[in-house]
Amino acid sequence: MNKKLKNIVVFVFLFSLQTISMAGNKNYAHTDTIKTAADTLITNNDAKKTAAGTQKTTAAAKKKSSSKGRPTVALVLAGGGAKGMGHIGVLKLLEEINMPIDYICGTSMGSLAGGLYAIGYDAQFLDSLVRNLDWTFILSDKSNSKQMTLKERERQQKYFYSLNLRNLKKSEVTGSGLIKGQNIANLFSSLTIGYHDSISFDSLPIPFSCVATDMVKYKEHDFHSGRLAQAMRASMAIPMMFSPVRIDSMILADGFLCNNLPVDVAREMGADYVITVSLSEDKVYTVNDFRTATSAMTRIMDVVSLNKIEENWANSDVKIHVNVKGYSAASFNKEAVDTLIRRGYEAASKEKENLLRLKEKILGKNSDSYVREKIKRPKTYNKNNLHIKEIQLNEINESDQKYILRKYRSLLNKTVSTDDIEKMLVTIENELQYNQAAYQIIEDNDGKDVLKVNGGGKKAMNINIGMRYDNEEKAVLGLNTIFPLKYLPLTVEATGRLGVNYMGKITGVLHSRTIAGIELSYMYHHYYLDIYHKAKEEYSVNFDHHQIDLSFTNFTFRNLFFDLFARMDFTHYRSTLSASDVEKKDNSAEHLFSYHARVHYSSQTDDYFPERGSKFKAEYGLYTTNSYQWEGNKPLSILSASWKTAIPMGKGFVLQPYAYGRIISGGDPSTLIANYAGGHYEGHFLQQQMPFAGIGEIEYFDRCFVAFDLTMQKRVYKKHYAFLSAAVAEQGYRPQNIFSGTPIVGGRIGYAYNSLLGPIGGSIAYSNYTNKVDVFVNLGFFF
């Protein structure tokens, strides 16, 4: 990191501590402290300008001559994260009064609203856009689950954080941030189709500029040309949160660091008059405002962004101050978005008379009859209106290029959408493991679209991290990483699980140019388990399990996975102790050879709190002890299947019927492959373990087991869920006598919060089979 930049960062944090300590003084003058901080921060930058009136005269003298034959007006939009939703309300009022806008200049979120408005998206479209975006997804590095394969979705729903190993290298630190910002970049690309070339922003329907900060020299960089999406992304790169944007020798971060209210930039563009929208909060801080790290960091950002604000605010002709009290830069929830847009409209309405006077000053007597020229909107966001003539791949090795072009040849010479393009980006990032993929669409001379995709040149090495705590296994840590090979369409995935029952797995996947692939995996799993029968411990078993799978035909689609595979199991039983201590076996071993066909379908995008969609799993296996017989007889066969669906019933209420079972036929199954049920999710302890509401431990069941569960899920508030389950099961030695015994009945009631770290909550359950109450507490994803 640049030495000067380090000093600035250190100063900012020290200043925040000073701010907190001084905040307890009731006589502490907020405005005086801000002015002192602002003066200090700009000491090594531009010298402080003269009075506002002198600035106006200077700017007017330097401005370009207007081609409109009348005075010109600029709209300046400040940064503020989610608080920038207020800009949309202001734009609504400006459209209502037909206010001419000749230039737009913005910082951070103001650059997003301003840049999109400059190319033709009106306030109504922007309103609909921000209300319908999944901001949790946009402000993350998660891949779009709608574009991912089933396997990729399952992996994403197990781990809460992905650490890029390249960022641990000193040479890569400049590209680091908690979030890469790829989802934001993709959003901007889809919204700016038609403006992907490097262009002058003066040529846009409304001339535009935005502000970023060059972290190398720590100075302001004003975008007047370049790639529009890239400029907006750089202007919004909050330091330490989003990775900065590298352009030539510059490392560009959020413009609020140097100029959060760029009225001076608008004047330099040629504006005679300026309408400025501010998102700052006027308040006197006290000690109680610094109870969390987030509040302290927000305060630091407020102070840093004061650079130039006083001068630029004074240099505005119409000042619109949006009331953002009660909301922060991170307030992207539905209620906050709605309120901030409304407050933006209300703030502009308060200045309506001033705006009308300014309009008359600009247009003269014709101001009442003036109607703004409607700008033709770019190719509509996310619609099927792209006709790809050619695909050009850059910074992707040759073998991967062949694989991608073969897999996505269907995109050529047909009408496609940005969804189809983003599916290709997901393949490049998730399957081939390139660090960051981006795209441009350029029209050729015939008006056909050329798709240019850049893979970033370097393949990623990420560690996916998951953590969970429950009252049965205690603390569990999950790690997953994928090692891509540079010149081959081959990836190696390693997975580890640390807990009472620890596990390690390594998988190699050869990506075929067709839809099928070849996969080889080895897994080691150490188990120490207590097996129960009707809540009484039958025996404890301590064993090491080695498993090798070779999948010959691995078909993976968006919602469907199918493969045929052979498996070899080797189990070393360290000890098996019966509950009565009468029987104890040590150092026995077991070899199994089996052949499987399995299919997995899921249209649910969330395994934990589904609101719609279905999930189906089925697997058939032939088990042998010598590759063709089970203990000298015909192979033992096992059929397992499950089906679960989510039926929305309205107002956050979802009904989830779930049917499942496992049938063993042939010889007597060994401990490794017998039927077990209990626990709170599929495969809780053993791979074949089936869940059952009301049974917490691992219960041994007969050769044929079927069950039905009905869960009622209710979203009670935002991400808070309550659920009630009722389950019934039957078992038997043969399929024909499954229903001849006493039904097993269970129930469960619980609560969970859908956090970024996974579900946090608990449940209370009971079943007539165990005749005991089961209490379960969980924090984190299941893996």
Side-chain angles (χ1 to χ4, degrees):
M1 185 183 289
N2 181 278
K3 185 176 180 181
K4 183 177 179 181
L5 180 56
K6 281 184 178 179
N7 292 336
I8 292 170
V9 172
V10 171
F11 168 77
V12 169
F13 276 94
L14 289 175
F15 177 77
S16 69
L17 295 177
Q18 180 185 5
T19 303
I20 295 171
S21 65
M22 294 178 63
N25 188 340
K26 292 183 180 180
N27 297 321
Y28 171 50
H30 170 61
T31 53
D32 291 343
T33 304
I34 288 177
K35 189 174 186 304
T36 303
D39 290 344
T40 305
L41 286 170
I42 64 173
T43 299
N44 295 323
N45 296 308
D46 299 331
K48 196 169 183 179
K49 295 183 180 180
T50 56
T54 307
Q55 280 186 320
K56 280 189 178 183
T57 304
T58 304
K62 291 183 178 180
K63 73 178 180 68
K64 304 172 186 177
S65 58
S66 173
S67 60
K68 298 182 179 295
R70 60 165 175 78
T72 55
V73 60
L75 176 64
V76 172
L77 305 176
K83 294 183 287 187
M85 302 298 170
H87 294 319
I88 297 173
V90 173
L91 289 169
K92 285 184 176 183
L93 188 281
L94 295 178
E95 288 180 355
E96 284 182 11
I97 66 173
N98 274 306
M99 187 72 198
I101 299 175
D102 303 302
Y103 304 99
I104 299 180
C105 187
T107 296
S108 196
M109 188 61 83
S111 74
L112 170 60
L116 296 181
Y117 200 76
I119 60 175
Y121 292 110
D122 57 21
Q124 181 180 357
F125 178 90
L126 295 178
D127 182 288
S128 176
L129 175 70
V130 299
R131 290 179 192 273
N132 291 297
L133 280 175
D134 181 355
W135 288 100
T136 302
F137 166 73
I138 292 296
L139 301 175
S140 75
D141 281 333
K142 288 187 175 181
S143 296
N144 188 343
S145 60
K146 294 180 180 179
Q147 316 299 346
M148 298 169 71
T149 64
L150 184 54
K151 276 191 169 183
E152 291 166 345
R153 289 208 307 269
E154 288 181 338
R155 184 189 303 123
Q156 181 166 271
Q157 292 185 37
K158 291 181 180 179
Y159 307 102
F160 71 88
Y161 185 68
S162 181
L163 174 65
N164 192 319
L165 296 184
R166 289 176 57 229
N167 289 344
L168 299 180
K169 300 178 182 178
K170 184 176 180 181
S171 60
E172 300 291 347
V173 169
T174 53
S176 65
L178 290 175
I179 301 170
K180 287 189 302 184
Q182 186 61 30
N183 292 333
I184 294 179
N186 289 342
L187 173 66
F188 291 171
S189 292
S190 65
L191 288 167
T192 58
I193 291 174
Y195 297 94
H196 281 186
D197 253 334
S198 183
I199 57 174
S200 167
F201 295 166
D202 288 339
S203 66
L204 298 179
I206 302 177
F208 171 72
S209 68
C210 62
V211 177
T213 302
D214 180 5
M215 303 297 283
V216 175
K217 298 181 179 178
Y218 196 70
K219 70 174 186 178
E220 179 179 335
H221 178 77
D222 302 330
F223 279 98
H224 295 282
S225 62
R227 290 172 48 202
L228 180 61
Q230 186 182 51
M232 294 191 297
R233 165 70 177 85
S235 183
M236 293 181 64
I238 301 173
M240 306 302 291
M241 181 60 68
F242 293 105
S243 296
V245 175
R246 181 167 186 171
I247 301 179
D248 299 326
S249 61
M250 297 184 295
I251 303 296
L252 297 172
D254 200 302
F256 84 87
L257 292 168
C258 284
N259 195 352
N260 200 42
L261 205 66
V263 175
D264 54 336
V265 178
R267 295 286 185 189
E268 291 170 3
M269 291 176 71
D272 295 289
Y273 300 100
V274 176
I275 301 168
T276 305
V277 183
S278 169
L279 305 171
S280 62
E281 183 176 357
D282 294 331
K283 66 176 292 184
V284 176
Y285 285 84
T286 68
V287 172
N288 292 330
D289 294 311
F290 297 91
R291 293 178 176 177
T292 66
T294 302
S295 60
M297 197 64 198
T298 300
R299 177 66 172 138
I300 292 171
M301 293 171 64
D302 287 343
V303 173
V304 173
S305 67
L306 290 169
N307 202 355
K308 292 187 178 182
I309 277 187
E310 289 186 357
E311 300 94 323
N312 280 330
W313 185 246
N315 195 16
S316 307
D317 296 284
V318 177
K319 304 177 179 69
I320 300 174
H321 184 268
V322 181
N323 173 19
V324 295
K325 184 177 180 180
Y327 297 98
S328 71
S331 299
F332 285 99
N333 61 76
K334 185 177 180 180
E335 178 191 6
V337 170
D338 179 72
T339 301
L340 289 165
I341 292 174
R342 175 174 51 80
R343 288 185 182 180
Y345 182 86
E346 292 170 351
S349 298
K350 290 179 182 179
E351 299 297 328
K352 185 174 181 179
E353 292 301 320
N354 290 330
L355 289 167
L356 291 173
R357 279 195 290 268
L358 177 59
K359 179 182 175 183
E360 185 177 358
K361 190 181 295 185
I362 294 170
L363 300 172
K365 296 179 180 179
N366 298 323
S367 63
D368 290 338
S369 60
Y370 172 78
V371 178
R372 290 175 53 184
E373 181 181 352
K374 193 174 178 89
I375 301 172
K376 184 179 179 182
R377 184 185 295 174
K379 292 186 176 182
T380 307
Y381 163 62
N382 242 18
K383 295 294 182 183
N384 297 325
N385 54 9
L386 303 173
H387 195 274
I388 305 298
K389 176 184 179 182
E390 180 184 357
I391 298 175
Q392 298 178 4
L393 302 176
N394 301 306
E395 296 195 57
I396 297 174
N397 69 53
E398 186 176 351
S399 63
D400 289 340
Q401 286 190 27
K402 291 178 180 178
Y403 172 69
I404 295 166
L405 291 175
R406 179 68 178 268
K407 186 170 184 176
Y408 290 98
R409 62 184 180 275
S410 61
L411 296 183
L412 293 173
N413 299 315
K414 62 179 289 189
T415 302
V416 299
S417 72
T418 54
D419 280 343
D420 299 309
I421 297 171
E422 289 180 12
K423 190 180 297 183
M424 179 191 291
L425 300 187
V426 169
T427 296
I428 294 171
E429 291 187 349
N430 286 31
E431 190 174 329
L432 300 179
Q433 296 299 299
Y434 282 86
N435 187 52
Q436 195 164 334
Y439 74 93
Q440 293 176 265
I441 296 176
I442 310 297
E443 285 191 1
D444 64 8
N445 295 331
D446 298 327
K448 298 292 180 65
D449 296 319
V450 177
L451 173 61
K452 296 183 177 182
V453 179
N454 191 306
K458 294 183 179 180
K459 292 198 173 187
M461 290 180 63
N462 296 325
I463 292 182
N464 302 308
I465 303 171
M467 290 187 294
R468 193 182 84 248
Y469 173 87
D470 65 52
N471 59 318
E472 294 178 355
E473 273 196 289
K474 308 306 179 185
V476 184
L477 174 66
L479 300 172
N480 169 269
T481 187
I482 298 178
F483 301 91
L485 298 189
K486 189 172 182 181
Y487 298 109
L488 292 173
L490 175 68
T491 55
V492 178
E493 180 176 5
T495 304
R497 184 180 187 276
L498 302 177
V500 175
N501 302 304
Y502 48 89
M503 180 272 289
K505 182 178 181 180
I506 186 165
T507 304
V509 182
L510 179 63
H511 304 285
S512 168
R513 294 183 186 179
T514 63
I515 58 176
I518 299 175
E519 182 175 305
L520 177 66
S521 68
Y522 164 77
M523 181 179 69
Y524 165 75
H525 208 147
H526 173 75
Y527 291 96
Y528 188 89
L529 302 174
D530 295 324
I531 308 299
Y532 291 79
H533 180 63
K534 293 188 176 181
K536 294 180 180 180
E537 185 177 343
E538 284 281 295
Y539 59 91
S540 295
V541 59
N542 180 9
F543 64 94
D544 299 312
H545 179 213
H546 304 265
Q547 187 177 88
I548 297 175
D549 284 356
L550 176 60
S551 175
F552 300 98
T553 52
N554 185 339
F555 292 91
T556 302
F557 304 90
R558 177 188 164 191
N559 290 332
L560 182 67
F561 168 76
F562 170 76
D563 71 339
L564 300 172
F565 66 98
R567 171 176 291 172
M568 182 180 73
D569 291 286
F570 171 71
T571 307
H572 172 226
Y573 293 94
R574 297 187 180 187
S575 65
T576 303
L577 178 65
S578 68
S580 61
D581 291 340
V582 173
E583 181 183 6
K584 181 177 181 181
K585 298 178 181 179
D586 294 320
N587 296 318
S588 60
E590 179 181 42
H591 288 84
L592 297 180
F593 302 90
S594 54
Y595 312 95
H596 303 255
R598 63 183 170 188
V599 62
H600 183 187
Y601 169 85
S602 177
S603 58
Q604 295 180 345
T605 55
D606 191 319
D607 279 345
Y608 300 97
F609 307 100
E611 295 188 354
R612 60 180 54 83
S614 298
K615 177 186 289 187
F616 172 77
K617 288 183 179 181
E619 181 175 338
Y620 179 75
L622 287 174
Y623 289 80
T624 72
T625 52
N626 61 359
S627 77
Y628 66 96
Q629 290 178 314
W630 179 266
E631 297 178 344
N633 297 307
K634 66 179 183 179
L636 180 149
S637 66
I638 300 178
L639 174 65
S640 62
S642 66
W643 171 82
K644 185 177 185 178
T645 191
I647 306 171
M649 306 297 287
K651 294 185 178 180
F653 180 72
V654 179
L655 205 60
Q656 300 177 52
Y658 176 31
Y660 56 98
R662 193 167 185 262
I663 297 176
I664 303 172
S665 60
D668 292 327
S670 63
T671 300
L672 183 66
I673 61 174
N675 280 340
Y676 301 97
H680 303 272
Y681 59 94
E682 187 178 347
H684 192 166
F685 293 104
L686 291 164
Q687 288 178 327
Q688 74 272 31
Q689 183 180 345
M690 296 167 282
F692 190 81
I695 300 178
E697 297 89 0
I698 308 174
E699 290 275 346
Y700 171 82
F701 286 94
D702 217 333
R703 292 155 50 96
C704 301
F705 179 89
V706 294
F708 179 80
D709 180 292
L710 182 63
T711 297
M712 293 171 282
Q713 173 187 290
K714 171 66 176 174
R715 187 177 67 249
V716 292
Y717 178 71
K718 294 182 179 178
K719 295 185 177 183
H720 298 261
Y721 295 83
F723 54 88
L724 176 66
S725 300
V728 61
E730 294 274 10
Q731 63 172 329
Y733 186 78
R734 291 185 176 87
Q736 55 266 36
N737 58 20
I738 289 179
F739 300 100
S740 60
T742 303
I744 303 165
V745 179
R748 178 181 58 162
I749 185 170
Y751 156 86
Y753 172 71
N754 187 12
S755 77
L756 293 176
L757 301 178
I760 298 175
S763 64
I764 299 175
Y766 174 83
S767 79
N768 66 340
Y769 188 77
T770 59
N771 195 28
K772 87 182 252 193
V773 175
D774 173 64
V775 178
F776 181 69
V777 176
N778 177 82
L779 294 85
F781 294 114
F782 298 136
F783 50 83

